[in-house]
Amino acid sequence: MLLKKFIISVSFLSVLLCSCSGGSKQFVVEGKVTDAAGNTLFMEEVGTGNVVSLDSVVLNETGEFKFVHDGSYFPMFYRLRLNGDAISFSADSVTHLIIKASGHNFFTGYELVESDQANRQIQDIAYKRYNTDCRIDSLVSLYATGLIGPDSLNNMVGEIAAQFKKEMTTRYIYVDPKSPASYFALFQKKNGVMYFDAEDKMDSRAFAAVATSFDAFYPNAPYTPFLKDIALKSIKTARQKEALKEHLRQLETITPIAFPEIELQNSHGEKVSLTKVAERNRRTLICITAYAGNWSPALVRTLRDIYSKKDTYDLEIYEVSEDKDIYYWRNASRTLPWICVFDPDNSVVGKYNLKQLPSFFLIKDGVLHILSSPEEALL
């Protein structure tokens, strides 16, 4: 019997072992914009490539505003627009942002009074893109006055763009490809031209990393098919440009891992890396559970049955315990033949965006898949 009926919902770490009810499905963006009385502040959705106006307000002397809008479990992308400037942000059903800004420098001087990490990263990315734009504009001015030639201009602009892309990939995209900040970084533009080029061999890695993660974590988001389509076209173009052997070699050596790393201790005190386990096995079933849960005995029986077929399917089980009591975990897992590790800080809950226990994932040939039951690992 599938284990779906044993799954319980969780909302916070403090109630990982208890059912809980959902809260508000709306996000809130509020704050104050000074020096802008009489101007209209717009809130617009921009996540799918089209700009959709959602709400607006004419600012009074106090400049206070508040927008409330329906949210989803996946992040969507929006902007606040005032005259020719805009503040970008992402939001899901639990987002609450408080923004302080001035009409004189709406974009360059806004402050996030209250914000989640993703939106602070989006602010940082937007500022870095703005500074990169300014550096390129300075070079264009030098070219227009004859101080530099076209070759120098192209080389220097290419170097500046490469520096920006390197910072985006090393700080955001490859660190956490499922983050809204990674998606935002991938689609930064200057004068309508994207910094990341889907037809570029190196940039295609970034598109593939984000597309794979968003397809796994946010498959129902309206922008995920668009992102997957770009990634697939990017891969196709790369194959056309290179010989097949060289292309496959590059994929094996430089394609980033599209799943969050887990490195926790087993009952012997040894740290076990999920990445290394996945490298040794074609299939790695990730089971995130709690032995104190009432579903645990049935789950253990199911996992034993799956593990008995490990050689046939080249499979390993990497089980993560979210139990509060480490001694209980050690006693419950001492006879289990697969890899069992303990998550003392519940860090895996955030890394894998968990909403319920138990949760199951499969890494197959380096690609992460969300499972509804552990038996799907054998399909």
Side-chain angles (χ1 to χ4, degrees):
M1 180 183 296
L2 295 180
L3 292 171
K4 293 180 181 178
K5 67 179 183 178
F6 297 111
I7 293 177
I8 64 172
S9 297
V10 295
S11 294
F12 303 100
L13 294 181
S14 59
V15 290
L16 275 171
L17 301 179
C18 302
S19 296
C20 60
S21 59
S24 172
K25 298 300 182 182
Q26 294 183 312
F27 67 85
V28 178
V29 181
E30 59 182 320
K32 178 183 290 188
V33 182
T34 59
D35 306 310
N39 290 298
T40 302
L41 179 66
F42 296 89
M43 183 174 76
E44 300 169 332
E45 180 183 300
V46 295
T48 56
N50 299 317
V51 177
V52 180
S53 182
L54 301 178
D55 205 347
S56 65
V57 62
V58 178
L59 298 169
N60 59 22
E61 292 296 333
T62 67
E64 294 180 348
F65 70 91
K66 184 175 183 179
F67 294 124
V68 180
H69 191 70
D70 292 339
S72 303
Y73 83 91
F74 48 79
M76 283 293 291
F77 297 88
Y78 307 89
R79 71 183 183 189
L80 297 178
R81 180 170 59 83
L82 181 69
N83 299 323
D85 287 338
I87 295 172
S88 299
F89 66 95
S90 71
D92 56 23
S93 59
V94 297
T95 298
H96 184 193
L97 295 179
I98 300 179
I99 298 174
K100 182 179 179 182
S102 168
H104 295 319
N105 56 351
F106 184 66
F107 166 67
T108 58
Y110 78 95
E111 175 188 355
L112 293 173
V113 179
E114 180 177 322
S115 172
D116 53 81
Q117 181 185 17
N119 277 299
R120 296 195 184 280
Q121 292 175 336
I122 285 174
Q123 181 185 38
D124 180 61
I125 292 166
Y127 281 169
K128 284 182 168 57
R129 189 264 309 151
Y130 172 75
N131 290 331
T132 300
D133 290 350
C134 291
R135 292 177 64 191
I136 293 175
D137 289 339
S138 297
L139 292 175
V140 173
S141 296
L142 292 176
Y143 170 73
T145 58
L147 294 177
I148 60 174
D151 291 340
S152 296
L153 174 64
N154 288 335
N155 291 337
M156 288 188 283
V157 168
E159 290 175 1
I160 292 173
Q163 291 171 5
F164 173 74
K165 292 193 291 184
K166 182 178 180 181
E167 189 166 12
M168 293 300 100
T169 54
T170 56
R171 293 190 61 176
Y172 300 109
I173 293 175
Y174 293 157
V175 173
D176 187 5
K178 75 177 188 305
S179 167
S182 295
Y183 182 96
F184 183 74
L186 199 59
F187 289 93
Q188 290 304 290
K189 301 178 180 180
K190 174 170 174 54
N191 298 334
V193 179
M194 289 173 49
Y195 278 97
F196 284 90
D197 180 3
E199 295 188 359
D200 179 84
K201 179 179 67 176
M202 300 301 292
D203 291 355
S204 68
R205 297 167 52 203
F207 281 99
V210 177
T212 300
S213 290
F214 271 62
D215 188 40
F217 287 95
Y218 311 118
N220 297 321
Y223 47 77
T224 297
F226 165 71
L227 181 59
K228 288 174 59 181
D229 185 59
I230 292 179
L232 290 173
K233 288 180 179 178
S234 175
I235 293 172
K236 182 178 179 180
T237 300
R239 285 175 175 169
Q240 292 172 342
K241 289 182 176 180
E242 297 183 27
L244 180 60
K245 182 177 180 180
E246 175 64 13
H247 176 67
L248 294 176
R249 186 190 68 79
Q250 289 292 332
L251 286 179
E252 292 174 355
T253 58
I254 66 174
T255 300
I257 294 173
F259 55 87
E261 167 68 317
I262 303 175
E263 190 172 22
L264 297 170
Q265 291 186 351
N266 59 21
S267 60
H268 302 293
E270 302 164 337
K271 286 190 174 182
V272 183
S273 165
L274 173 61
T275 298
K276 292 182 179 179
V277 173
E279 289 174 350
R280 295 193 300 266
N281 301 275
R282 183 164 183 257
R283 304 179 190 221
T284 301
L285 171 60
I286 307 170
C287 173
I288 306 170
T289 184
Y291 293 100
N294 59 5
W295 68 83
S296 184
L299 174 58
V300 169
R301 288 194 296 271
T302 299
L303 293 181
R304 284 189 183 277
D305 180 64
I306 293 173
Y307 199 72
S308 69
K309 305 176 179 68
K310 66 184 294 290
D311 294 334
T312 302
Y313 290 90
D314 190 12
L315 175 141
E316 182 58 83
I317 298 176
Y318 190 99
E319 188 170 40
V320 181
S321 166
E322 298 295 338
D323 288 282
K324 296 180 179 179
D325 188 342
I326 188 171
Y327 299 104
Y328 186 91
W329 162 71
R330 283 177 177 168
N331 183 62
S333 65
R334 71 183 190 280
T335 62
L336 300 180
W338 51 84
I339 297 171
C340 300
V341 295
F342 184 71
D343 184 13
D345 302 318
N346 303 118
S347 61
V348 175
V349 172
K351 282 185 177 182
Y352 279 77
N353 198 31
L354 298 188
K355 303 299 182 185
Q356 60 190 25
L357 288 180
S359 285
F360 309 101
F361 300 84
L362 175 69
I363 301 172
K364 183 179 179 181
D365 298 326
V367 178
L368 182 72
H369 306 270
I370 296 178
L371 306 183
S372 58
S373 69
E375 293 96 332
E376 293 178 11
L378 303 181
L379 297 180

